[in-house]
């Protein structure tokens, strides 16, 4: 009985080895065709492409104007504060205690408002830039979609973000110049 069971186990083991060998041979024969059908992808410098867009230049110009307006207002507010502060310093020794405290609280209130304005200005500038960039990013996404579909890419990688530390140039294609050309049409 032991002999029969042992032969059965050896038979099962041999069958498994043959099956594994068959699968490996099948894989080896299909590897050359799989290599030809490998995933294709594109890669580009998103920032370089973005900067050639006329729409991007327009956004940057309008943002520079807006920044200048906010900076001018901040400078005016600072000058007002400095003027009030100098007046306070000049008269602080001659002011009665109640006037001194009133002027100190006015100065503190001005300072608080100036700080709040500066924070709000930064928030509004960031929001304005994000809003202005949406149409630019949409147009770029549409161009990338068209190029990706046309060339049969599985995906397009942004090399600016250092997500992919190395890309196989035989499987991927640098499409920065192609995208720039499409955007300038």
């Amino acid at each position: 009985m032991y002999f029969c069971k042992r032969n059965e186990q050896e038979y099962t083991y041999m069958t498994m080895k043959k099956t594994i060998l068959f699968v490996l041979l099948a894989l080896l024969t299909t590897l050359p065709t799989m290599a030809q059908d490998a995933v294709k992808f594109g890669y580009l410098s998103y920032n370089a492409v973005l900067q050639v867009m006329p729409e991007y230049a327009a956004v940057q110009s309008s943002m520079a104007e807006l920044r200048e307006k906010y900076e001018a207002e901040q400078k005016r507010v600072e000058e007002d504060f400095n003027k009030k502060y100098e007046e306070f310093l000049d008269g602080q020794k001659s002011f009665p205690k109640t006037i001194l405290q009133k002027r100190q609280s006015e100065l503190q209130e001005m300072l608080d408002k100036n700080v709040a304005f500066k924070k709000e200005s930064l928030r509004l500038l960031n929001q304005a830039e994000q809003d202005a960039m949406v149409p630019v990013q949409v147009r770029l996404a549409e161009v990338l979609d068209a190029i990706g579909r046309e060339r049969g890419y599985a995906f397009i990688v942004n090399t600016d973000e250092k997500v992919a530390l190395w890309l196989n140039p035989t499987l991927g294609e640098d499409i920065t110049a192609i995208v720039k050309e499409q955007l300038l049409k």
Side-chain angles (χ1 to χ4, degrees), residues 5 7 22 58 62 82 96 114 134 169:
K5 198 164 199 146
N7 281 342
F22 177 73
S62 68
N82 289 339
N114 292 351
V134 168

Side-chain angles (χ1 to χ4, degrees), residues 3-183:
F3 180 73
C4 207
K5 198 164 199 146
R6 185 171 176 215
N7 281 342
E8 193 175 310
Q9 286 175 340
E10 285 180 16
Y11 177 75
T12 305
Y13 177 72
M14 293 299 286
T15 305
M16 284 177 44
K17 278 177 73 174
K18 287 180 184 178
T19 305
I20 291 171
L21 185 61
F22 177 73
V23 169
L24 285 175
L25 286 174
L27 282 174
L28 287 175
T29 58
T30 59
L31 277 179
T33 59
M34 287 174 64
Q36 292 171 356
D37 297 333
V39 174
K40 291 182 358 181
F41 63 91
Y43 56 93
L44 76 153
S45 168
Y46 191 87
N47 292 332
V49 167
L50 196 61
Q51 291 173 2
V52 300
M53 295 177 70
E55 299 93 332
Y56 179 78
V59 166
Q60 294 305 308
S61 175
S62 68
M63 289 306 302
E65 288 176 25
L66 190 57
R67 268 189 210 91
E68 286 176 15
K69 290 177 183 175
Y70 277 108
E71 286 170 5
E73 182 61 18
Q74 281 179 277
K75 186 175 181 181
R76 186 195 68 75
V77 168
E78 281 179 28
E79 288 171 356
D80 285 350
F81 176 81
N82 289 339
K83 183 179 173 188
K84 284 259 191 201
Y85 186 68
E86 287 174 16
E87 290 172 3
F88 171 77
L89 290 176
D90 289 343
Q92 79 179 3
K93 290 183 180 176
S94 63
F95 292 143
K97 187 175 180 179
T98 55
I99 292 176
L100 185 66
Q101 289 173 341
K102 178 184 174 282
R103 296 265 177 109
Q104 283 176 333
S105 66
E106 285 176 354
L107 285 171
Q108 186 61 49
E109 187 178 320
M110 277 182 84
L111 184 62
D112 292 344
K113 284 183 179 180
N114 292 351
V115 169
F117 175 74
K118 195 171 195 171
K119 283 183 181 178
E120 184 65 8
S121 298
L122 289 174
R123 187 190 71 74
L124 291 171
L125 280 169
N126 287 336
Q127 186 63 49
E129 186 168 22
Q130 286 176 1
D131 293 345
M133 285 300 293
V134 168
V136 177
Q137 292 166 337
V138 166
R139 178 158 183 259
L140 181 52
E142 289 169 349
V143 168
L144 291 174
D145 180 61
I147 290 171
R149 289 179 189 276
E150 176 184 309
R151 294 180 171 267
Y153 296 143
F155 53 88
I156 297 175
V157 177
N158 176 6
T159 58
D160 295 336
E161 302 303 322
K162 297 180 184 165
V163 173
L165 300 177
W166 180 79
L167 299 170
N168 187 338
T170 60
L171 300 176
E173 176 182 16
D174 185 354
I175 60 170
T176 304
I178 297 165
V179 175
K180 284 180 179 180
E181 182 182 313
Q182 286 289 328
L183 290 169

